[in-house]
CSV table of all heavy atoms in Angstrom, one decimal:
chain,number,residue,atom,x,y,z
F,9,GLU,N,-50.8,12.7,-43.1
F,9,GLU,CA,-51.7,12.6,-44.3
F,9,GLU,C,-52.8,13.5,-44.0
F,9,GLU,O,-52.8,14.3,-43.1
F,9,GLU,CB,-52.2,11.1,-44.4
F,9,GLU,CG,-51.1,10.1,-44.8
F,9,GLU,CD,-51.6,8.7,-45.0
F,9,GLU,OE1,-52.8,8.4,-44.6
F,9,GLU,OE2,-50.9,7.9,-45.5
F,10,GLU,N,-53.9,13.4,-44.8
F,10,GLU,CA,-55.0,14.3,-44.8
F,10,GLU,C,-55.6,14.4,-43.4
F,10,GLU,O,-55.9,15.5,-42.9
F,10,GLU,CB,-56.0,13.8,-45.8
F,10,GLU,CG,-56.9,14.9,-46.3
F,10,GLU,CD,-57.8,14.4,-47.4
F,10,GLU,OE1,-57.3,14.1,-48.5
F,10,GLU,OE2,-59.0,14.3,-47.1
F,11,GLN,N,-55.8,13.3,-42.7
F,11,GLN,CA,-56.5,13.3,-41.4
F,11,GLN,C,-55.5,12.9,-40.2
F,11,GLN,O,-55.9,12.2,-39.3
F,11,GLN,CB,-57.7,12.3,-41.4
F,11,GLN,CG,-58.7,12.7,-42.4
F,11,GLN,CD,-59.9,11.8,-42.4
F,11,GLN,OE1,-59.9,10.7,-41.8
F,11,GLN,NE2,-61.0,12.1,-43.1
F,12,GLY,N,-54.3,13.3,-40.3
F,12,GLY,CA,-53.4,12.9,-39.2
F,12,GLY,C,-52.2,12.1,-39.8
F,12,GLY,O,-51.8,12.3,-40.9
F,13,TYR,N,-51.7,11.3,-39.0
F,13,TYR,CA,-50.5,10.5,-39.4
F,13,TYR,C,-50.9,9.4,-40.3
F,13,TYR,O,-52.0,8.9,-40.3
F,13,TYR,CB,-49.8,9.9,-38.1
F,13,TYR,CG,-49.1,10.9,-37.3
F,13,TYR,CD1,-49.6,11.4,-36.1
F,13,TYR,CD2,-47.9,11.5,-37.8
F,13,TYR,CE1,-49.0,12.4,-35.4
F,13,TYR,CE2,-47.2,12.4,-37.0
F,13,TYR,CZ,-47.8,12.9,-35.8
F,13,TYR,OH,-47.1,13.8,-35.1
F,14,SER,N,-49.9,8.9,-41.0
F,14,SER,CA,-50.0,7.8,-41.9
F,14,SER,C,-50.5,6.5,-41.2
F,14,SER,O,-49.8,6.0,-40.3
F,14,SER,CB,-48.7,7.5,-42.7
F,14,SER,OG,-48.8,6.3,-43.4
F,15,LYS,N,-51.6,6.0,-41.5
F,15,LYS,CA,-52.2,4.8,-40.9
F,15,LYS,C,-51.2,3.6,-41.1
F,15,LYS,O,-51.0,2.8,-40.2
F,15,LYS,CB,-53.6,4.5,-41.4
F,15,LYS,CG,-54.2,3.4,-40.7
F,15,LYS,CD,-55.7,3.2,-41.1
F,15,LYS,CE,-56.3,2.1,-40.3
F,15,LYS,NZ,-57.7,1.9,-40.7
F,16,ALA,N,-50.7,3.5,-42.3
F,16,ALA,CA,-49.8,2.4,-42.6
F,16,ALA,C,-48.5,2.4,-41.7
F,16,ALA,O,-48.1,1.4,-41.2
F,16,ALA,CB,-49.4,2.4,-44.1
F,17,GLU,N,-48.0,3.6,-41.5
F,17,GLU,CA,-46.8,3.7,-40.7
F,17,GLU,C,-47.1,3.4,-39.2
F,17,GLU,O,-46.3,2.7,-38.5
F,17,GLU,CB,-46.2,5.1,-40.8
F,17,GLU,CG,-45.5,5.4,-42.1
F,17,GLU,CD,-44.9,6.8,-42.2
F,17,GLU,OE1,-44.7,7.4,-41.2
F,17,GLU,OE2,-44.7,7.2,-43.3
F,18,VAL,N,-48.2,3.9,-38.8
F,18,VAL,CA,-48.6,3.6,-37.4
F,18,VAL,C,-48.9,2.1,-37.2
F,18,VAL,O,-48.4,1.6,-36.2
F,18,VAL,CB,-49.9,4.5,-37.0
F,18,VAL,CG1,-50.4,4.0,-35.6
F,18,VAL,CG2,-49.6,6.0,-37.0
F,19,GLU,N,-49.5,1.5,-38.1
F,19,GLU,CA,-49.7,0.1,-38.1
F,19,GLU,C,-48.4,-0.7,-38.1
F,19,GLU,O,-48.3,-1.7,-37.3
F,19,GLU,CB,-50.7,-0.4,-39.2
F,19,GLU,CG,-52.1,0.1,-39.1
F,19,GLU,CD,-52.8,-0.4,-37.8
F,19,GLU,OE1,-52.6,-1.6,-37.4
F,19,GLU,OE2,-53.6,0.4,-37.3
F,20,ARG,N,-47.5,-0.3,-38.9
F,20,ARG,CA,-46.1,-1.0,-38.9
F,20,ARG,C,-45.5,-0.8,-37.6
F,20,ARG,O,-44.8,-1.7,-37.0
F,20,ARG,CB,-45.3,-0.4,-40.0
F,20,ARG,CG,-45.6,-1.0,-41.4
F,20,ARG,CD,-44.5,-0.7,-42.4
F,20,ARG,NE,-44.2,0.8,-42.6
F,20,ARG,CZ,-44.8,1.6,-43.4
F,20,ARG,NH1,-45.8,1.1,-44.2
F,20,ARG,NH2,-44.5,2.8,-43.5
F,21,TYR,N,-45.6,0.4,-37.0
F,21,TYR,CA,-45.0,0.7,-35.7
F,21,TYR,C,-45.6,-0.3,-34.6
F,21,TYR,O,-44.9,-0.9,-33.8
F,21,TYR,CB,-45.2,2.1,-35.3
F,21,TYR,CG,-44.8,2.5,-33.9
F,21,TYR,CD1,-43.4,2.6,-33.6
F,21,TYR,CD2,-45.7,2.8,-32.9
F,21,TYR,CE1,-43.0,2.9,-32.4
F,21,TYR,CE2,-45.2,3.1,-31.7
F,21,TYR,CZ,-43.9,3.2,-31.4
F,21,TYR,OH,-43.5,3.5,-30.1
F,22,ILE,N,-46.9,-0.4,-34.6
F,22,ILE,CA,-47.6,-1.3,-33.7
F,22,ILE,C,-47.2,-2.7,-33.9
F,22,ILE,O,-47.0,-3.5,-33.0
F,22,ILE,CB,-49.2,-1.1,-33.8
F,22,ILE,CG1,-49.5,0.3,-33.2
F,22,ILE,CG2,-49.9,-2.2,-33.0
F,22,ILE,CD1,-51.0,0.7,-33.4
Side-chain angles (χ1 to χ4, degrees):
E9 291 183 349
E10 206 173 290
Q11 297 179 350
Y13 287 106
S14 167
K15 186 174 181 178
E17 288 180 19
V18 171
E19 291 299 323
R20 279 194 304 272
Y21 176 71
I22 291 171

